């Protein structure tokens, strides 16, 4: 059992929880994730670490309430407990001094991009961050990202804050203006990561993305998280979650992410009628 010691709503439908998990906090590194199960009927959901504190023995998770599991998680409050928490999982971000790195975060993915930006900044890189959301009220972790960014650019799809358009459009703008990056990191929805990869490809900038497929065991045994990278099948949980964006088959990733969309919709309807606990 893992106790929630803090809970905040960062934006409509986006929640932050701080969970007491000293064993995970002790080993956590940027880019890693956990798999949790809210209760005994819950499914296993992967969440990238947004932060951790070794002294306090806590990890911080940020999630968007989209389906039954994340809505169940969102209903928990301070002092409630999560049944299972497994982690840290996945390979950490390869942190070294690359030079100038652009960290791109989209939507809830900004919280997952934050520890990566921090680790890369602490390793001596110049960090140019691009963060974006659908609308100004959905933009999260702006102050956190600012703290570890030499420059920060903001976009919103509707133009309510910063540049009007997608984060990938803003990245393209910077590149057209002559910005030079040794590396680009992108975390967010699959379509955003694909768009970022398409922008950096002609410039031949090494681009890393953190993939978010459906996961079950998180240990390389079930195959649920398989993705195609460079024409080969890879398991995101043990081979990733970070991969070379120019090698990822995003069409296949999106297809697999949507595999249970009808079942997820039905489950949510039942849950919202109060028939599924
Ligand atoms: P969203 O749909 O609101 O999009 C956020 C931003 O991403 C947009 O403002 C835009 O700038 C960009 N974007 C979205 N679609 C795009 C497209 N087609 N082309 C170019 N840019 C695009 O995101 P959300 O609702 O916050 O959803 C967050 C998503 O991030 C979820 O799918 C979640 O699974 C994923 N996520 C991934 C990780 C990870 O580790 N990869 C971590 C957390 C969240
Ligand atoms: Fe089962 Fe990766 S989640 S193999």
């Amino acid at each position: 059992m893992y106790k929630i010691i803090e809970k905040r709503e960062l934006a409509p439908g986006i929640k932050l929880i701080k969970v007491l998990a000293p064993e995970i906090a002790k080993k956590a590194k940027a880019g890693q994730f956990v798999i949790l199960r809210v209760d005994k009927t819950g499914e296993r959901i992967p969440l990238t670490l947004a932060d951790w504190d070794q002294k306090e023995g806590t990890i911080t998770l940020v999630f968007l309430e989209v389906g039954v599991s994340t809505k169940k998680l969102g209903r928990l409050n301070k002092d409630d407990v999560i049944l299972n928490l497994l982690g840290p999982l996945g390979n950490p971000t390869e942190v070294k001094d690359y030079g100038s790195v652009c960290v791109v975060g989209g939507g809830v993915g900004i919280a997952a991009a934050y520890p990566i930006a921090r680790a890369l900044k602490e390793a001596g890189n110049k960090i140019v961050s691009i963060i974006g959301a659908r609308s100004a009220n959905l933009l999260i972790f702006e102050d956190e990202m600012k703290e570890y960014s030499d420059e920060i650019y903001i976009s919103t799809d509707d133009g309510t804050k910063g540049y009007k358009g997608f984060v990938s459009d803003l990245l393209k703008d910077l590149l057209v203006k002559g910005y030079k990056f040794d590396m680009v990191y992108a975390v967010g929805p699959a379509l955003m990561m694909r768009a970022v990869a398409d922008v950096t490809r002609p410039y031949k900038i090494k681009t890393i993305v953190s993939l978010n497929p459906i996961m079950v065991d998180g240990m390389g045994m079930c195959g649920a998280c398989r993705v195609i990278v460079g024409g080969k099948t890879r398991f995101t949980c043990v081979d990733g979650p970070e991969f070379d964006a120019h090698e990822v088959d995003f069409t296949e990733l999106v297809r697999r992410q949507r595999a249970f969309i009808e079942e997820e919709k039905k489950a949510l309807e039942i849950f919202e009628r109060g028939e599924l606990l």
Side-chain angles (χ1 to χ4, degrees), residues 35 214-226 235-238:
I35 289 188
I214 293 170
M215 289 196 187
V216 181
D217 69 325
M219 294 186 163
M221 286 184 282
C222 71
C225 68
R226 67 183 181 272
F235 287 173
T236 305
C237 63
V238 288

Side-chain angles (χ1 to χ4, degrees), residues 50-71:
D51 209 352
W52 54 91
D53 183 328
Q54 288 189 357
K55 276 199 204 119
E56 205 180 46
T58 60
I59 59 166
T60 301
L61 304 171
V62 174
F63 56 96
L64 181 68
E65 293 178 310
V66 273
V68 173
S69 300
T70 45
K71 280 191 189 279

Side-chain angles (χ1 to χ4, degrees), residues 10 36 41 45 67 80 115 134 167 171 173 184 215 217 255:
L10 300 180
L36 65 80
T41 60
I45 43 171
D80 287 342
R134 270 170 278 143
V167 282
L171 172 64
D173 250 39
V184 170
M215 289 196 187
D217 69 325
R255 192 187 66 76

